[in-house]
Amino acid sequence: MDVLKPTILQIGNRLYRKNYLKESESYNPEDEQLYSEGPITDCLDRDELCDSSLEIVETKRGLSLSLEVPNFFYKFIIGKKGETKRRLETETHTQILIPKMGDTHETVVINGTDRKGVISAKTRIDVLVDSVRQRQPFTHFLSIPVCTEHICKRFEDFKAEVLEKFSGDRGFDASLFQNPKRLHLTLGTLVLLSDADIRRATNLLLDCDQEIIKPTLQDKSLTVQICGLEYMNDDPTEVDVLYAKVQKGEACKRLQTIVDYIAEKLCNSGLMKKEYDRVKLHVTVLNTLMRKDPTGIFDAARPGTKFRESFDASGMLRTFKDFDFGPLCVDSIHLSQRHTTSKSGYYESASIIELP
């Protein structure tokens, strides 16, 4: 299906089709080759139309364009023995200046005598950076905290009853439970590799606040009900994630509208990994990944995560299928940092959007 429906990347005002390539365990992004699908002049003409608003500066020697690129990506732009950089420069008739090791600024400079060549070099660097970014383990995730005092208390009641009744079931023990202080709705995962990336993600969230959150809520609070259990696969005896649901209703619809808009905007920026057509509103309560990763968020980019342990959840689903965790007033959306803990016990936040 990846061949029939390839991933579409949006970089600036342009859309690119990401062709399917069969990967091997020996894949190394530094060995990636950058090819144009047609004559270089054709590509340059198309880029000229798309990027007419770029801040290309005229200098004594020609034209110059500065790009903010996290230093993590420099080795991929350079390539094995400098091959990628040389090919980029040759095919676009430009000079690409990459900061030296130890430089504090993260700015790649493209110099050239022809505007089309400079734009083409930028486009190819953008595509390369996006391709490499999508293969990295996520560093941040968008979350809505679900750790109010009432819900935490109900979660502890749920945990105690489940352990009492089903502690002997296959694959199940207390280590699978989420930390109640970290209960949350996950909107998506992001790969942010520099302060500039974090600022960019924060600015996009601020845009969403004006474009969708405020118009949708109109200064009114949003309260949803966390109620019922569901699992991710078709066999209740082979479950790896058990989650609490957001009860359907008008409030749920408004929340879904907001989070889908945010996810689409962040995915189009290339900072967030697109996983589903719509955000699945769920609160993870048990996850077999908790044994290895307390975030409990599946990361497809990490090696060794294809095989998932499972447990028998059939009994607890029958008994607690409609368990009511309580109401949640959605008052903030967090850009949460992975593998961190704040004073409250929740994740550290790079930025927070407050809701009414």
Side-chain angles (χ1 to χ4, degrees):
M1 293 305 294
D2 289 333
V3 176
L4 298 177
K5 295 182 179 180
T7 301
I8 301 298
L9 305 179
Q10 179 172 336
I11 299 176
N13 295 321
R14 304 183 307 278
L15 295 176
Y16 294 91
R17 183 183 65 224
K18 188 173 182 180
N19 292 328
Y20 171 77
L21 294 174
K22 187 175 182 180
E23 298 177 10
S24 66
E25 294 182 358
S26 60
Y27 168 79
N28 182 356
E30 288 187 64
D31 296 335
E32 279 194 332
Q33 305 291 314
L34 293 181
Y35 296 107
S36 58
E37 295 182 351
I40 187 67
T41 52
D42 291 344
C43 295
L44 298 184
D45 289 339
R46 289 196 294 270
D47 287 336
E48 171 74 8
L49 294 173
C50 295
D51 282 310
S52 57
S53 61
L54 281 177
E55 295 183 10
I56 299 178
V57 179
E58 291 190 14
T59 68
K60 293 180 179 179
R61 296 185 177 182
L63 301 172
S64 182
L65 174 63
S66 297
L67 306 176
E68 277 195 348
V69 180
N71 58 27
F72 173 85
F73 296 104
Y74 294 168
K75 60 183 178 182
F76 303 107
I77 298 172
I78 295 170
K80 191 174 182 179
K81 297 181 180 180
E83 291 177 1
T84 301
K85 178 174 175 291
R86 281 197 297 272
R87 184 172 58 256
L88 276 170
E89 292 175 327
T90 299
E91 294 183 356
T92 61
H93 310 295
T94 60
Q95 179 187 31
I96 299 172
L97 303 179
I98 296 175
K100 295 180 180 179
M101 186 177 298
D103 286 354
T104 56
H105 67 90
E106 295 185 315
T107 305
V108 172
V109 178
I110 304 171
N111 293 326
T113 57
D114 182 72
R115 180 183 177 88
K116 297 176 182 178
V118 171
I119 291 173
S120 182
K122 175 195 179 296
T123 298
R124 293 172 181 222
I125 291 174
D126 285 343
V127 172
L128 187 151
V129 166
D130 185 87
S131 177
V132 174
R133 187 190 295 275
Q134 297 305 317
R135 298 177 187 276
Q136 306 310 308
F138 73 91
T139 60
H140 296 71
F141 59 101
L142 286 182
S143 72
I144 296 174
V146 187
C147 41
T148 64
E149 183 177 351
H150 175 74
I151 290 180
C152 285
K153 175 62 169 59
R154 290 293 292 158
F155 176 83
E156 293 288 10
D157 293 343
F158 167 77
K159 179 178 178 179
E161 291 184 49
V162 170
L163 285 172
E164 180 182 356
K165 289 180 170 61
F166 304 105
S167 58
D169 288 3
R170 183 191 62 77
F172 169 69
D173 59 47
S175 68
L176 303 187
F177 283 94
Q178 173 66 282
N179 181 336
K181 292 182 180 180
R182 290 175 174 253
L183 290 169
H184 63 274
L185 293 164
T186 301
L187 311 188
T189 59
L190 302 92
V191 179
L192 307 180
L193 300 170
S194 67
D195 290 340
D197 278 351
I198 293 174
R199 287 195 301 272
R200 185 178 166 207
T202 298
N203 289 334
L204 289 168
L205 286 176
L206 291 172
D207 290 343
C208 290
D209 188 33
Q210 297 298 320
E211 295 166 3
I212 189 66
I213 296 175
K214 283 182 169 59
T216 300
L217 298 184
Q218 297 181 347
D219 293 325
K220 296 179 181 178
S221 62
L222 179 61
T223 299
V224 296
Q225 194 75 16
I226 309 299
C227 182
L229 296 177
E230 200 166 320
Y231 53 102
M232 296 283 192
N233 61 312
D234 298 326
D235 186 353
T237 66
E238 296 287 343
V239 171
D240 48 43
V241 178
L242 194 65
Y243 60 90
K245 300 183 292 184
V246 176
Q247 196 171 62
K248 293 181 179 180
E250 190 57 38
C252 180
K253 287 181 181 179
R254 291 201 298 274
L255 179 59
Q256 188 74 58
T257 298
I258 290 170
V259 299
D260 284 345
Y261 186 97
I262 293 173
E264 186 70 19
K265 194 174 188 73
L266 269 294
C267 287
N268 287 341
S269 75
L271 297 177
M272 181 183 284
K273 297 182 179 181
K274 189 174 182 64
E275 298 177 20
Y276 307 102
D277 290 336
R278 302 187 70 194
V279 174
K280 191 172 183 64
L281 292 173
H282 67 282
V283 182
T284 298
V285 292
L286 291 102
N287 191 335
T288 57
L289 284 181
M290 294 293 180
R291 290 190 177 114
K292 298 179 180 179
D293 181 358
T295 63
I297 303 173
F298 176 64
D299 184 2
R302 280 190 301 150
T305 56
K306 291 183 179 180
F307 173 75
R308 298 290 305 276
E309 297 179 25
S310 67
F311 65 97
D312 184 354
S314 56
M316 61 187 77
L317 281 166
R318 284 194 301 269
T319 305
F320 298 99
K321 183 178 180 180
D322 299 317
F323 189 88
D324 189 354
F325 291 90
L328 171 69
C329 179
V330 181
D331 58 8
S332 59
I333 297 174
H334 294 227
L335 179 58
S336 300
Q337 187 173 344
R338 190 182 187 187
H339 301 312
T340 62
T341 304
S342 66
K343 292 181 180 179
S344 69
Y346 196 65
Y347 302 92
E348 292 281 1
S349 298
S351 61
I352 300 174
I353 300 295
E354 303 286 352
L355 275 64

